[in-house]
Amino acid sequence: MRALGVLLGKELGATFTSPIAYAVATVFLVVLGYTFSLTLFFTKVANLTYIFHQMYVLLILLVPLLTMRAFADERRTGTAELLLTAPVADVSIVLAKFLASFALVLALLGASLTYALVLGRYGDPDWGPIYGGYLALVLLGALLAAVGTLTSSLTENQVVAAATSLGVFLMLWFADSISYLLPVPLDLVAINVSLIGHFTPFVSGSMFLSDVGYYVSLALLALFLTTRRLADR
Amino acid sequence: MTSLPPPIVTVDRVTKRYRGRVAVHEVSLTVPRGEVLGLLGPNGSGKTTLLRILAGYLSPTSGRATVAGYDTVDEPMQARRCIGYVPENAPLYSHMRVDEFLRLMGRLRGVPPCGVGVRVAAVATRLRLDDVLRAPIRTLSRGYRQRVAIAQALLHDPAVLLLDEPTNGLDPRQIIDTRSLIADLAGQCTVIMSSHILGEVEKTAHRVAILLEGHLLTVRGMVETPDLEALFLSLT
């Protein structure tokens, strides 16, 4: 735990002082603010459903940029040798990298809470879907950060890491599209592995344990595989 | 007759294969406490791989290595606590200041939070880093970077110091400084350093291990090797 705290401090420092983080935050908030204002003026309805789907897409596109450095940069610069020869468990290194990326995702989501506050101040929104939407985005952020950390551990090239993450995220997003072509029971597998299928219910105000389990189990699997990848040397 | 001190590092028939290529083949050697051992060989001879195995960065494909009695694979945490490791080309976190980096590495290597400041100050003074402690690492010269890399390896007072090409890219003055530092450290810890420069090993090591294409060709004391160049040429 002591080493995890030290590593987390280092990773948070590196993440929150990185120009990439500020570029990503700027894009995220500007695009979201534009969409929020436009939707509100056109529909005059106090809900965030459209914004949640927008955030879903933005996270899929932007999280690869936040996680690509995690291990790829350490390998490229050679600092991985310092880190991996210190008396620190591999799992602590993986968790510190993951938590730092996840913290930035949480910061982005935290900044977007202003939209909910504006709706609450000037309208009368249904809070159920808003709570559900934010829970879904937190779970989605954890999953994306974990998978991004995994792909970053597979290469020393940041661009390759980001492109691989994006590819995996898009495949997970559209996994259910292929279900029409697959025989039973593979079609069910494709549907159940789909990212969007486990996201939409939250945004409409329905919460299922199976959806929470999907995000948590996939994130844990990605972190486990990252730890195995580090140990395989 | 004086008996040799017990070995602090043992390498027992260690082999490492990478993607079908043998980087180190059945290497066995022991290093007694307080000795400076030079690993000598051309590029690609397996020196870095052997150091990485001892540092716990790589696992051997077969065989075993121990440091202070701890197996580098089965007891990696205990073994790593006894090791200070300076990888080739002195990789450092360039975005950090020198003092931040040394504090971080001290904490990671097990120096308690209350003592890390004292250790950083002591090691910085010893390596003449006091003037640059507050400087960002990215602004340092090659020589200072190398000193910072050695400093991070000494923070926890290791029993074994592993140096991979410690004078690589340094100017003559910095090479002389590094040599005198290694000589100074020899009394306090065991040093294993790799080099492909004959003169480097000749001037700093007590014994030399010559490697070629992953094979250990010989291990000789420097006293009994008056002409290292002739020995190296005859073996390689």
Side-chain angles (χ1 to χ4, degrees):
Chain A
M1 283 308 285
R2 177 192 54 78
L4 175 59
V6 175
L7 282 170
L8 185 56
K10 166 201 168 263
E11 294 301 335
L12 287 172
T15 301
F16 282 87
T17 54
S18 151
I20 296 172
Y22 290 95
V24 165
T26 304
V27 170
F28 184 82
L29 294 172
V30 166
V31 171
L32 221 52
Y34 173 78
T35 314
F36 175 73
S37 309
L38 216 58
T39 311
L40 198 60
F41 281 122
F42 279 132
T43 64
K44 297 189 171 47
V45 175
N47 80 49
L48 288 176
T49 307
Y50 189 77
I51 294 300
F52 286 139
H53 281 102
Q54 178 105 54
M55 283 200 263
Y56 168 89
V57 176
L58 283 174
L59 286 181
I60 282 179
L61 295 176
L62 296 176
V63 167
L65 301 177
L66 301 179
T67 56
M68 66 182 183
R69 291 179 62 196
F71 285 104
D73 204 39
E74 299 260 14
R75 283 183 194 279
R76 184 184 61 79
T77 59
T79 49
E81 280 194 66
L82 293 180
L83 206 52
L84 296 171
T85 56
V88 177
D90 289 349
V91 68
S92 296
I93 299 171
V94 172
L95 281 178
K97 299 269 182 200
F98 160 73
L99 289 173
S101 300
F102 185 44
L104 188 54
V105 172
L106 291 180
L108 294 178
L109 296 179
S112 77
L113 279 173
T114 48
Y115 307 128
L117 296 176
V118 167
L119 288 189
R121 175 75 178 78
Y122 296 104
D124 184 23
D126 181 0
W127 288 101
I130 292 178
Y131 295 142
Y134 271 105
L135 177 59
L137 287 167
V138 168
L139 292 168
L140 175 74
L143 170 57
L144 299 183
V147 174
T149 305
L150 171 62
T151 58
S152 181
S153 73
L154 301 175
T155 173
E156 63 180 46
N157 187 314
Q158 295 182 41
V159 177
V160 171
T164 307
S165 296
L166 185 60
V168 173
F169 297 165
L170 293 175
M171 287 303 290
L172 282 173
W173 183 359
F174 299 123
D176 56 343
S177 307
I178 202 171
S179 63
Y180 305 105
L181 301 173
L182 296 174
V184 178
L186 289 178
D187 60 339
L188 281 176
V189 173
I191 289 169
N192 281 301
V193 101
S194 162
L195 214 49
I196 192 76
H198 294 278
F199 182 80
T200 312
F202 283 101
V203 180
S204 60
S206 310
M207 289 189 212
F208 298 102
L209 202 56
S210 58
D211 293 329
V212 176
Y214 166 83
Y215 288 108
V216 172
S217 54
L218 274 190
L220 289 176
L221 176 65
L223 294 175
F224 170 74
L225 291 175
T226 311
T227 310
R228 293 304 309 151
R229 165 68 184 137
L230 283 199
D232 181 30
R233 57 179 197 262
Chain B
M1 186 178 146
T2 54
S3 60
L4 284 171
I8 191 160
V9 174
T10 63
V11 178
D12 183 18
R13 301 186 67 178
V14 162
T15 295
K16 180 67 183 179
R17 289 192 187 86
Y18 286 119
R19 302 179 192 104
R21 193 181 76 86
V22 179
V24 170
H25 182 73
E26 298 267 326
V27 168
S28 297
L29 59 87
T30 58
V31 187
R33 201 175 287 272
E35 183 178 80
V36 178
L37 175 73
L39 297 178
L40 184 65
N43 291 331
S45 58
K47 307 183 298 289
T48 296
T49 302
L50 192 55
L51 286 179
R52 284 176 169 174
I53 288 170
L54 288 172
Y57 183 65
L58 295 176
S59 303
T61 309
S62 64
R64 71 191 288 261
T66 66
V67 176
Y70 298 113
D71 190 296
T72 56
V73 174
D74 295 336
E75 301 158 294
M77 296 303 146
Q78 292 93 326
R80 288 178 200 174
R81 282 192 193 100
C82 301
I83 287 171
Y85 177 46
V86 183
E88 192 176 0
N89 298 323
L92 307 169
Y93 292 113
S94 297
H95 65 280
M96 287 185 169
R97 292 196 320 258
V98 173
D99 58 340
E100 285 174 343
F101 172 73
L102 292 179
R103 280 173 178 276
L104 168 73
M105 294 311 297
R107 294 293 310 281
L108 288 181
R109 294 195 183 279
V111 180
C114 55
V116 75
V118 176
R119 280 303 297 161
V120 167
V123 171
T125 302
R126 182 173 193 181
L127 286 156
R128 289 184 285 117
L129 289 168
D130 294 302
D131 295 343
V132 296
L133 266 181
R134 305 281 296 171
I137 288 173
R138 65 173 173 276
T139 64
L140 299 183
S141 67
R142 184 77 180 78
Y144 268 118
R145 288 178 64 91
Q146 186 67 30
R147 274 194 251 170
V148 174
I150 295 174
Q152 64 79 26
L154 294 175
L155 285 166
H156 57 302
D157 208 8
V160 178
L161 182 64
L162 306 174
L163 304 168
D164 195 358
E165 307 276 2
T167 57
N168 212 2
L170 300 185
D171 64 35
R173 175 77 216 178
Q174 292 162 342
I175 290 173
I176 292 166
D177 283 351
T178 307
R179 265 187 217 149
S180 72
L181 175 70
I182 294 169
D184 186 32
L185 289 168
Q188 300 151 45
C189 62
T190 304
V191 181
I192 303 178
M193 54 169 280
S194 76
S195 181
H196 57 271
I197 303 168
L198 289 166
E200 202 55 60
V201 174
E202 212 160 25
K203 288 190 174 73
T204 47
H206 300 135
R207 283 195 306 157
V208 59
I210 299 178
L211 290 134
L212 181 69
E213 293 174 355
H215 293 77
L216 178 62
L217 302 180
T218 187
V219 183
R220 297 276 182 94
M222 294 310 299
V223 177
E224 68 218 40
T225 314
D227 190 348
L228 183 59
E229 187 176 329
L231 174 70
F232 185 76
L233 289 173
S234 69
L235 289 171
T236 61

